[in-house]
Amino acid sequence: AQLNLGENTLTALPASVGELSRLTALDVSGNALEVLPEELGLLTGLRKLNVSHNRLTDVPICLESLRGLRELNIDGNDIREGARGWRPAGASGSR
């Protein structure tokens, strides 16, 4: 299943997003998210995650548990070199 919440001026995602166990693609691009809920790490079937063009300053460690993640787009955020949290090896924007 795919969920597209892009361009909705969201400022937060509910913790209940972690209950969407059949989700394979999540697009929350173009919102105003400053943090992602730790429960995102429960989406072990997630293959694509687009969090581009938000207000994130780091990538939460919970993403490390997303072993099946094949595409991660974090472009257009304010994630600085040395930011706290998990970063994919060699990531400069997309994975």
Side-chain angles (χ1 to χ4, degrees), residues 59-89:
V59 180
I61 197 78
C62 69
L63 296 187
E64 190 172 53
S65 63
L66 300 178
R67 301 284 181 207
L69 195 63
R70 297 293 175 253
E71 293 181 33
L72 172 62
N73 188 338
I74 57 175
D75 289 338
N77 285 286
D78 195 21
I79 299 172
R80 296 188 178 103
E81 194 66 36
R84 290 181 7 184
W86 175 76
R87 288 194 46 97

Side-chain angles (χ1 to χ4, degrees), residues 1-53:
Q2 299 181 8
L3 180 59
N4 186 342
L5 297 173
E7 305 292 334
N8 279 296
T9 63
L10 298 175
T11 57
L13 284 179
S16 58
V17 72
E19 298 173 17
L20 302 173
S21 60
R22 295 187 178 180
L23 203 59
T24 58
L26 176 61
D27 183 343
V28 292
S29 63
N31 285 292
L33 301 173
E34 294 181 9
V35 296
L36 298 174
E38 291 298 315
E39 291 79 5
L40 206 59
L42 300 174
L43 301 176
T44 56
L46 201 62
R47 302 288 178 256
K48 295 181 182 182
L49 177 59
N50 185 349
V51 295
S52 64
H53 303 285

